Amino acid sequence: MPSIRLTLVNNAKQTQKSAVILKVDDTSDPLADILTLAKNKLRLKKAKTLYLNHGIELVDPSWLKNGKVAQDSLVYVSCGEGYVGQTRQESLPATGAAASTTPSATQEGDDSTTSTGEIMNSTASTTTDLKFESLLINSEVSATISILAKKSYVDPEANAQLNRTAMLPGMRKVVGQPDLHPGNQYPIGATFITQKFIYPALIGNDIGCGMAVYRTRLSSGIKPQKIVDKLHGLEGRWTEGDPHAFLISQLGEEHTETGKAHLDQLGTLGGGNHFAEFVTIESRLDLDLCDSIGLTDANTYLIVHSGSRKFGQTVLEASNSMQTKAEKKLQGIDAESEVGQAYLKQHDLACAWARTNRELIAHRVLTRLNAEQDATKILDIWHNNVEQKTIESIDPQRPCWIHRKGAAPSDRGLVVIPGSRGHFSYLVMPHGDQDKNGFSLAHGAGRLLPRAKALQKRPQTSKQASISALQTTDLGSSVICEDTDLLFEEQPGAYKEITDIIDDLGPFVKVVAILRPICTYKMRKEARS
């Protein structure tokens, strides 16, 4: 009778282990049998999730039957907590670099290999050069994993999520940016490069989310309170004009029906980490480039961060409804299939809709300050999208699909990387080889604390004083956010240090300018869509 030897490990208390022999014939249910053994041998009455090394979730029983899981493998048994790993680590270390340890089997750019049972700890190196931890999962999967964080803290659950994506069919390369943090299922602040398959779930529902930067004619000496007093009437449907006509003016007459059902949201920020922020130039570091794009100390600039709102959600749901059972199980779609082509068409329209949304948000905001005239767009980039690109290092003949989830493109010119509210933002120009970072950069500071934990930091006393402290930042900028929970969820301490993010991106970018916030608009309790 076919069988496999395994060592079951309590994921939360890894000194607790038990060796077992598991029957794996065609009539058995090996996953259910492992959970039963864990309940009996490890006394884990609520055992429900199984992980292999590197945080790969064991969900396919065929892996145990066809040899994909080797004899004497470790299986980590979880009662619902995220994957802890081969060595337990504290959840919030004092320094970020130690937390970004990634198990490695193959060092990218190096022909040498190590046993998959060994861990290569990046923090043990004394060199100051940036190292890239990479993982070759097995002989059937050619995906490598790189995490670009040395100073920036990376949550172990984000590591685990990143590693699990490497097992998806067609996955060739996975890159965690310094702002990497856990998502609901897949991590945020990451780039996923595939061939043949596309994965709508990796992009999520806010297709086309991104950032735009505008130079305005407002003086850099404008007082934050003047902006605060003027920014009203930005919630809900745009009533000063025809949103449908505005959409057509941006997309063209052939798109009269595109996103028409969501016109009430066109020109609105939405919630979460979206914002419209006025900034001034703190420091111009690349004077020639600043001069060439008209970046001066005299002006105020507007950054807009938003996406496709409910239109993107509609596209994702439509794609899910068209997938076969097999596609839903794999969570991926053949890009050349009918479903794949239909998704890509709607995806591109959602990206265009999102860009138009940012344009209308900027128009609405600047109109309030009588500054819509002569505003110049400096950049507009998506950081939630999928696009095709030929990558020589992967396959010079067949193009790849680059999925970006909270990752800015580094092959499109200038990129803005904002800090949290009350911190500087950075305008950067990609430089050097962009292959190792997946032709992508961090899209911001990245969450350090989940929203629920950030809310737990909300004081129970002196409520109004605490709110006021978050409405005026350490840099003297103002924050407009009339949702108290959102204000605390988005507090500066909930995010990583933006200077660590920029330092980690050092091999890939040149800082052009540092931007100082003067007023950030999140939301008012006015009519919302």
Side-chain angles (χ1 to χ4, degrees):
M1 180 182 298
S3 61
I4 183 172
R5 298 184 306 275
L6 301 171
T7 298
L8 306 187
V9 183
N10 182 342
N11 181 60
K13 185 180 180 182
Q14 294 180 17
T15 55
Q16 189 179 4
K17 304 178 183 179
S18 179
V20 299
I21 297 178
L22 188 71
K23 180 178 73 172
V24 288
D25 60 23
D26 291 338
T27 63
S28 66
D29 185 350
L31 299 184
D33 291 344
I34 290 176
L35 291 174
T36 299
L37 287 167
K39 291 173 183 177
N40 295 331
K41 299 284 188 180
L42 301 179
R43 299 292 189 266
L44 297 177
K45 301 303 180 185
K46 296 183 179 180
K48 63 179 182 180
T49 307
L50 304 175
Y51 295 107
L52 301 175
N53 282 343
H54 319 306
I56 300 164
E57 189 171 351
L58 179 55
V59 294
D60 189 343
S62 68
W63 291 5
L64 293 154
K65 298 177 181 181
N66 63 16
K68 205 165 191 177
V69 176
Q71 292 283 350
D72 300 311
S73 290
L74 299 178
V75 176
Y76 297 86
V77 185
S78 163
C79 294
E81 75 280 358
Y83 172 72
V84 174
Q86 290 176 303
T87 57
R88 177 127 184 156
Q89 299 191 21
E90 296 300 319
S91 59
L92 283 176
T95 59
S100 59
T101 301
T102 304
S104 299
T106 303
Q107 188 74 5
E108 197 167 31
D110 187 347
D111 292 331
S112 63
T113 60
T114 66
S115 164
T116 55
E118 297 176 353
I119 299 178
M120 212 179 303
N121 190 332
S122 64
T123 62
S125 174
T126 58
T127 179
T128 57
D129 294 336
L130 187 61
K131 301 295 182 184
F132 301 94
E133 275 61 63
S134 304
L135 167 66
L136 184 63
I137 300 294
N138 59 45
S139 60
E140 297 180 22
V141 181
S142 56
T144 59
I145 298 175
S146 300
I147 297 183
L148 310 183
K150 291 290 284 185
K151 290 186 174 181
S152 306
Y153 169 74
V154 176
D155 189 301
E157 176 58 21
N159 267 336
Q161 290 181 347
L162 198 71
N163 292 335
R164 289 195 289 271
T165 62
M167 292 298 291
L168 296 173
M171 191 65 68
R172 301 301 305 274
K173 187 171 187 173
V174 177
V175 181
Q177 299 295 331
D179 58 338
L180 180 71
H181 58 282
N184 291 331
Q185 184 178 7
Y186 297 111
I188 301 166
T191 307
F192 313 93
I193 301 178
T194 64
Q195 286 187 302
K196 184 177 180 180
F197 290 101
I198 54 174
Y199 288 89
L202 291 179
I203 307 304
N205 59 357
D206 199 5
I207 301 167
C209 185
M211 298 194 194
V213 178
Y214 301 81
R215 182 178 66 250
T216 80
R217 62 183 183 84
L218 295 172
S219 166
S220 59
I222 189 171
K223 300 298 183 184
Q225 191 58 46
K226 181 177 180 180
I227 300 176
V228 172
D229 292 342
K230 296 284 187 179
L231 292 188
H232 288 272
L234 300 176
E235 307 293 340
R237 186 182 178 103
W238 181 46
T239 57
E240 289 88 350
D242 181 354
H244 188 237
F246 188 90
L247 186 66
I248 298 304
S249 73
Q250 300 292 311
L251 301 188
E253 293 291 341
E254 68 273 23
H255 295 298
T256 56
E257 300 302 315
T258 299
K260 191 174 180 180
H262 307 292
L263 290 176
D264 283 353
Q265 293 192 323
L266 190 68
T268 61
L269 284 168
N273 62 350
H274 292 174
F275 62 84
E277 182 170 271
F278 284 98
V279 300
T280 57
I281 304 300
E282 176 71 8
S283 179
R284 300 197 314 156
L285 301 179
D286 187 327
L287 296 180
D288 290 341
L289 185 52
C290 285
D291 289 342
S292 70
I293 61 175
L295 209 67
T296 72
D297 297 331
N299 297 87
T300 290
Y301 300 81
L302 174 64
I303 304 174
V304 176
H305 176 202
S306 191
S308 56
R309 310 289 274 114
K310 287 184 181 178
F311 183 25
Q313 178 67 35
T314 301
V315 172
L316 181 61
E317 290 173 353
S319 171
N320 290 341
S321 68
M322 293 174 66
Q323 292 180 47
T324 64
K325 288 184 178 179
E327 287 172 332
K328 287 180 179 178
K329 184 176 180 180
L330 290 174
Q331 299 175 307
I333 310 170
D334 186 330
E336 299 301 322
S337 69
E338 181 180 350
V339 177
Q341 289 297 299
Y343 171 78
L344 288 170
K345 180 179 179 180
Q346 292 300 309
H347 162 280
D348 291 350
L349 290 174
C351 285
W353 197 98
R355 177 167 283 173
T356 302
N357 185 41
R358 290 190 287 275
E359 188 75 16
L360 185 52
I361 290 169
H363 175 79
R364 296 180 74 176
V365 169
L366 293 174
T367 298
R368 294 294 179 274
L369 289 153
N370 194 29
E372 72 278 10
Q373 297 296 323
D374 302 323
T376 303
K377 186 189 294 185
I378 294 174
L379 66 87
D380 189 310
I381 52 174
W382 299 301
H383 54 235
N384 275 15
N385 72 325
V386 58
E387 61 185 21
Q388 198 171 44
K389 185 180 183 71
T390 298
I391 301 176
E392 294 287 331
S393 63
I394 292 178
D395 190 335
Q397 303 299 322
R398 292 189 304 153
C400 296
W401 292 98
I402 300 181
H403 302 66
R404 294 185 176 100
K405 177 63 173 178
S410 65
D411 53 2
R412 300 284 180 84
L414 284 169
V415 174
V416 64
I417 305 178
S420 62
R421 307 293 64 76
H423 285 89
F424 295 115
S425 295
Y426 290 76
L427 190 66
V428 303
M429 178 63 80
H431 83 108
D433 181 13
Q434 298 295 308
D435 190 288
K436 284 187 178 294
N437 54 317
F439 302 93
S440 306
L441 302 172
H443 78 311
R447 293 201 69 88
L448 178 65
L449 299 177
R451 293 187 179 275
K453 285 190 176 180
L455 278 176
Q456 290 173 6
K457 288 182 169 289
R458 176 176 172 175
Q460 300 303 308
T461 59
S462 303
K463 177 180 176 181
Q464 191 54 50
S466 300
I467 292 173
S468 297
L470 292 178
Q471 289 174 332
T472 301
T473 73
D474 290 343
L475 292 179
S477 64
S478 296
V479 177
I480 303 170
C481 183
E482 295 180 353
D483 181 324
T484 304
D485 284 352
L486 182 60
L487 185 64
F488 279 91
E489 288 172 1
E490 291 290 297
Q491 62 184 287
Y495 283 84
K496 304 181 188 184
E497 289 290 342
I498 187 62
T499 51
D500 290 345
I501 302 292
I502 299 301
D503 286 348
D504 284 341
L505 290 174
F508 311 110
V509 302
K510 181 177 182 180
V511 178
V512 176
I514 301 174
L515 312 175
R516 171 183 283 267
I518 55 175
C519 182
T520 307
Y521 183 94
K522 298 287 291 181
M523 64 85 67
R524 288 195 187 273
K525 289 186 176 178
E526 300 170 340
R528 305 202 85 204
S529 297

